[in-house]
Amino acid sequence: AQSVAQPEDQVNVAEGNPLTVKCTYSVSGNPYLFWYVQYPNRGLQFLLKYITGDNLVKGSYGFEAEFNKSQTSFHLKKPSALVSDTALYYCAVIPRPAGNKLTFGGGTRVLVKP
Amino acid sequence: EAGVAQSPRYKIIEKRQSVAFWCNPISGHATLYWYQQILGQGPKLLIQFQNNGVVDDSQLPKDRFSAERLKGVDSTLKIQPAKLEDSAVYLCASSPRGGRVLNTEAFFGQGTRLTVV
C-alpha cells in the first residue's frame, strides 16, 4: 500500500529563517512527488513536483524540494521564510505506472512569526 | 483559464438526509478527483475518473456515496443518507493527466463544506 508521511503536525519558524517541511513516502517504483499549499480560506494550490532528473526542484514562491531516493524523502525547503508563508502544506505522491491515485499526507501547519 | 468550479460552497443538513455536490473541471482535463478532507487531516481520495470511466473508487463508501461524470465533463457526488461523520470539506480536482499525458499536477476547486447535524 502506498503512503505518505509528514512527521510534524506543526513547524514554527521566525521570519527570515530557513524553513523545512519533512515528507517521506512508501510506494513501489519511482513515484511522482508533489507539494501543495493551502492558505487560510483558500483551496489547495500546487507548489512544485518531482518527475525525474535533478533531485532539487524549484517551485512557486521561492520554495524548493529535494528528492532523496535512498531515504525515500521529499522535503520542502525555503531559505528565508516570510510571514505570508503561514499555511498548511501537503506532500502527495502518484506511483508509477500511470493511472494510479494521487495520495496526500496528513499535512503540516507552518507558522512563521514576525 | 477558468479554474475548477464547485457548488455549493457550504451545506448544512440533518443526518439521514441526502445531499449532492457538483463539480465543473477545467476544460479539457481528462482526470477528475473527489476528495474528502476531514478537519485536521489530509485529503482522502474518494473516487478518480478518467474521462467518464472510474479509475479508482476503493475508498468510496458505496453503501451511501455515489458519483458520476456525465460525458466526461461535469461530475456530481451524492451522499444518501448522510451520517454525522460525513461532515467534511469535499474537494474536486482535475488534471490533464491521462493517456500519454502523465506527469501533471491536479488543480483544486474551493471545496464544499458539509456539516451534518
Side-chain angles (χ1 to χ4, degrees):
Chain A
Q2 60 192 56
S3 68
V4 183
Q6 293 182 242
E8 301 154 317
D9 289 336
Q10 180 158 326
V11 171
N12 298 319
V13 62
E15 187 174 32
N17 282 1
L19 168 63
T20 298
V21 185
K22 296 179 180 177
C23 172
T24 59
Y25 63 90
S26 173
V27 300
S28 57
N30 298 312
Y32 302 133
L33 298 160
F34 303 82
W35 276 100
Y36 284 81
V37 60
Q38 190 169 37
Y39 296 105
N41 300 313
R42 297 181 65 179
L44 277 165
Q45 297 178 35
F46 167 79
L47 267 183
L48 52 79
K49 64 183 177 184
Y50 172 81
I51 303 300
T52 187
D54 194 345
N55 289 344
L56 186 64
V57 294
K58 296 185 182 298
S60 307
Y61 312 120
F63 283 93
E64 58 189 28
E66 186 170 10
F67 170 63
N68 187 318
K69 186 173 182 179
S70 63
Q71 297 184 5
T72 61
S73 67
F74 189 55
H75 301 330
L76 181 70
K77 299 178 182 181
K78 186 170 183 178
S80 178
L82 301 172
V83 172
S84 57
D85 294 327
T86 294
L88 275 164
Y89 292 80
Y90 292 96
C91 183
V93 60
I94 296 179
R96 303 187 194 187
N100 289 347
K101 59 188 179 184
L102 176 64
T103 300
F104 284 85
T108 298
R109 183 176 301 278
V110 170
L111 178 60
V112 182
K113 299 179 180 179
Chain B
E1 177 183 74
V4 176
Q6 289 188 249
S7 67
R9 287 293 309 277
Y10 305 93
K11 190 75 177 178
I12 301 174
I13 62 172
E14 295 182 349
K15 60 183 178 183
R16 291 188 289 274
Q17 285 187 324
S18 62
V19 64
F21 313 126
W22 174 80
C23 173
N24 185 12
I26 294 173
S27 177
H29 280 193
T31 299
L32 185 147
Y33 307 88
W34 281 103
Y35 286 87
Q36 179 193 59
Q37 187 174 22
I38 293 172
L39 186 64
Q41 299 180 18
K44 183 183 89 171
L45 181 68
L46 293 176
I47 189 167
Q48 177 182 344
F49 293 94
Q50 182 160 324
N51 298 310
N52 59 352
V54 175
V55 174
D56 189 304
D57 63 356
S58 57
Q59 297 189 95
L60 185 73
K62 298 180 185 65
D63 58 333
R64 297 186 300 108
F65 286 64
S66 64
E68 60 181 3
R69 189 180 185 194
L70 299 175
K71 299 180 181 179
V73 183
D74 292 5
S75 178
T76 56
L77 176 69
K78 297 179 181 178
I79 308 175
Q80 182 179 5
K83 294 184 176 181
L84 297 177
E85 58 260 37
D86 298 331
S87 294
V89 176
Y90 290 84
L91 298 168
C92 179
S94 71
S95 169
R97 196 167 191 274
R100 295 181 179 180
V101 181
L102 301 179
N103 55 2
T104 59
E105 63 271 24
F107 297 81
F108 283 79
Q110 291 276 64
T112 297
R113 183 177 299 277
L114 173 67
T115 302
V116 182
V117 297

